[in-house]
Amino acid sequence: AKHVIRQGIREAERGQQLQEFQRRNQELVTAVVTRVDPKTGAATVEFGKAESVLPLSEQISGEVIREGDRIKVFVVDVREGDKGPRALISRTHPGLVKRLFEMEVPEIFNGVVEIKAISREAGSRTKLAVFSHDENVDAVGACIGARGARVANIVEELGGENIDIIAKIENRSGVENFREICSVC
C-alpha cells in the first residue's frame, strides 16, 4: 500500500512539473544558476519549481556563467523522458531575441510593429527585420528607443552582441524588400 501511494505521489509530481514546463514552452524565463559542471560547462538552472540543464552548446560563446547568477533563457521545447519531463532551454535561439524585444518594445508587444525575420549568430551578431502596420509608426525607431535605450538593454542582456535592425518595406506591386536603416553596436 505504501509503494502504491508513493508511486501515485511521484506521478502527480511529474504531472505538475510537465504542466509547469508546458506553460512556459516557447517563452522567456528568468532562471537562477544553481550549479555549473566544471568538466562539461553545462549549467543547471532553476526557474519556479522546475530545474533544467543549459548545455554549453546552448550558451553564448564567451559568456561566463557562475552559480547564483540570474539569466534569461528561452524554453525551446518540452519532452517527456524516462526520468520525467525535460525542458530544452537555450540562450542562442533566435526566439530569445524575439521575446527580449517583445518585453522591451511595447509596439511589438501590442502588434503595431511586427518582427518579420531574425537571423542570429549568437555572441556575435543579430539581424532583425521589422515592419510597421501603422504608417505613422517608425518600426526601426520604436525598436531602438530614445537615444538607443531600448536596444541597449537588449544588447546588455546578450553580452554586447551587435544588433542590426532592418526595415521591411512593401512597394506598390506587393514585392517585399529590405532596407538596412540602422546598425547598432
Side-chain angles (χ1 to χ4, degrees):
K2 282 183 184 179
H3 179 70
V4 171
I5 292 170
R6 284 186 187 140
Q7 184 68 25
I9 291 170
R10 267 189 249 124
E11 289 297 321
E13 286 174 349
R14 280 186 180 182
Q16 283 181 333
Q17 194 173 25
L18 182 64
Q19 270 185 328
E20 174 99 9
F21 284 156
Q22 286 176 338
R23 196 180 83 232
R24 295 178 178 201
N25 192 17
Q26 298 293 308
E27 288 296 322
L28 184 70
V29 295
T30 302
V32 178
V33 179
T34 56
R35 192 170 85 77
V36 178
D37 188 348
K39 289 182 183 176
T40 63
T44 304
V45 296
E46 196 174 86
F47 50 95
K49 295 177 183 175
E51 190 174 84
S52 191
V53 176
L54 179 65
L56 186 61
S57 62
E58 294 297 326
Q59 295 176 23
I60 298 172
S61 61
E63 183 179 49
V64 178
I65 296 176
R66 295 183 183 89
E67 289 181 20
D69 286 354
R70 289 186 162 280
I71 58 172
K72 287 187 172 42
V73 294
F74 183 73
V75 180
V76 179
D77 195 14
V78 176
R79 294 193 180 144
E80 183 70 50
D82 298 340
K83 297 176 182 175
R86 278 189 29 195
L88 301 174
I89 57 175
S90 175
R91 285 195 41 88
T92 61
H93 195 277
L96 175 75
V97 175
K98 183 177 182 180
R99 294 291 184 223
L100 285 170
F101 270 96
E102 285 175 357
M103 281 177 49
E104 197 66 40
V105 182
E107 291 86 352
I108 293 175
F109 185 77
N110 295 337
V112 175
V113 175
E114 183 181 345
I115 297 174
K116 288 291 189 177
I118 297 175
S119 177
R120 185 165 187 222
E121 196 177 304
S124 176
R125 176 171 303 281
T126 295
K127 290 197 180 257
L128 186 76
V130 293
F131 175 75
S132 176
H133 294 286
D134 185 351
E135 59 191 40
N136 297 326
V137 175
D138 175 23
V140 175
C143 292
I144 295 170
R147 296 186 189 96
R150 290 177 177 174
V151 77
N153 292 339
I154 296 168
V155 168
E156 184 181 327
E157 177 64 38
L158 297 175
E161 189 171 306
N162 293 336
I163 298 178
D164 298 333
I165 302 172
I166 302 164
K168 178 187 161 253
I169 296 147
E170 232 175 81
N171 58 19
R172 289 187 187 104
S173 64
V175 176
E176 298 174 349
N177 49 353
F178 298 96
R179 186 174 80 217
E180 189 159 337
I181 292 181
C182 173
S183 181
V184 180
C185 296

